[in-house]
Amino acid sequence: DGGITQSPKYLFRKEGQNVTLSCEQNLNHDAMYWYRQDPGQGLRLIYYSQIVNDFQKGDIAEGYSVSREKKESFPLTVTSAQKNPTAFYLCASSITPSDLGGNSPLHFGNGTRLTVT
Amino acid sequence: AQSVTQLDSHVSVSEGTPVLLRCNYSSSYSPSLFWYVQHPNKGLQLLLKYTSAATLVKGINGFEAEFKKSETSFHLTKPSAHMSDAAEYFCVVSEWEGRRALTFGSGTRLQVQP
């Protein structure tokens, strides 16, 4: 079955350490996204990529970095510069890169819950 | 600028009774509107979408939503709740702001009592 795989499901890190969250898709989608979800809030866009070797900052990119070396993969690094990294992180993809989920639906992975102490 | 307000953070219904989850939006132009559902510790799944066609939109699992431009609302309904409907529901608005931007509501947690 096609889908998006995020790993690991739970991740624990000490403050000051960088950590990388994995996102792999086999849907052959061009566009991929990273969202952050906090309790009682909607999703907020961190970064998005419309094509391989290109990515753009979303609304809350500070303290995060990404790469898009392969169509299937869009890893997110949470750096020590991120002030409040504990959150639920969701990766998504969509078939049409130009509309960024505005018409074609987003397909989501099951998320990674990051806890930093 | 666009925004979306989900009017209830929690809704509780009994199994077999109707569901109403309320969403109001603001948008400068003609928006696209969506409802997504999220089960615990899972990603979001699209329930339905409105993109300027019919104002009454039918989605999966018996859900539907009506786009009312005069009221700037896009409420989600289901005639009869099932236990498996217990989840969090997000209303999402999309419009062009230099790039296509999605704005998520803060979510409504639906509880279904037996």
Side-chain angles (χ1 to χ4, degrees), chain B residues 2 9 13-14 17-18 28-30 48 51 56 60-62 66 69 73 76 82 84 92 95 106-107 114:
Chain B
Q2 60 190 17
S9 59
V13 301
S14 297
T17 64
S28 304
Y29 304 105
S30 297
L48 50 80
T51 54
L56 183 62
I60 62 171
N61 301 334
E66 187 171 7
K69 187 173 181 178
S73 70
L76 182 70
H82 191 272
S84 61
V92 183
E95 69 172 5
S106 56

Side-chain angles (χ1 to χ4, degrees), chain A residues 47-110:
Chain A
Y47 267 98
Y48 65 97
S49 168
Q50 294 172 282
I51 197 168
V52 173
N53 292 322
D54 184 58
F55 48 83
Q56 306 294 331
K57 291 181 179 180
D59 300 317
I60 55 163
E62 186 175 347
Y64 299 98
S65 65
V66 294
S67 62
R68 186 88 186 275
E69 297 176 2
K70 298 187 298 181
K71 188 175 185 177
E72 303 79 20
S73 179
F74 191 42
L76 173 74
T77 297
V78 184
T79 75
S80 56
Q82 167 50 232
K83 296 282 188 286
N84 186 19
T86 295
F88 189 50
Y89 290 88
L90 287 160
C91 179
S93 70
S94 66
I95 194 166
T96 308
S98 60
D99 77 5
L100 300 183
N103 284 303
S104 56
L106 297 176
H107 295 258
F108 285 86
N110 285 333

Side-chain angles (χ1 to χ4, degrees), chain B residues 6 8 29 46 50 61 66 73 84 88 90:
Chain B
Q6 291 185 242
D8 305 293
Y29 304 105
L46 180 69
Y50 166 79
N61 301 334
E66 187 171 7
S73 70
S84 61
E88 187 142 26
F90 293 92

Side-chain angles (χ1 to χ4, degrees), chain B:
Chain B
Q2 60 190 17
S3 68
V4 58
T5 302
Q6 291 185 242
L7 297 165
D8 305 293
S9 59
H10 289 87
V11 170
S12 182
V13 301
S14 297
E15 191 174 20
T17 64
V19 175
L20 170 64
L21 306 182
R22 298 182 294 165
C23 173
N24 285 359
Y25 70 92
S26 70
S27 173
S28 304
Y29 304 105
S30 297
S32 296
L33 293 157
F34 308 81
W35 278 98
Y36 281 85
V37 61
Q38 183 181 33
H39 289 92
N41 292 310
K42 297 289 189 184
L44 280 69
Q45 180 187 14
L46 180 69
L47 273 180
L48 50 80
K49 67 175 183 179
Y50 166 79
T51 54
S52 75
T55 56
L56 183 62
V57 182
K58 293 190 184 299
I60 62 171
N61 301 334
F63 284 95
E64 62 181 39
E66 187 171 7
F67 174 70
K68 291 188 176 180
K69 187 173 181 178
S70 60
E71 297 176 11
T72 60
S73 70
F74 190 56
H75 301 334
L76 182 70
T77 60
K78 183 172 180 177
S80 175
H82 191 272
M83 295 297 289
S84 61
D85 294 328
E88 187 142 26
Y89 292 79
F90 293 92
C91 182
V92 183
V93 62
S94 166
E95 69 172 5
W96 187 262
E97 292 182 348
R99 59 171 171 83
R100 175 66 65 174
L102 295 182
T103 300
F104 286 76
S106 56
T108 297
R109 184 163 298 280
L110 175 65
Q111 277 186 306
V112 182
Q113 309 288 350

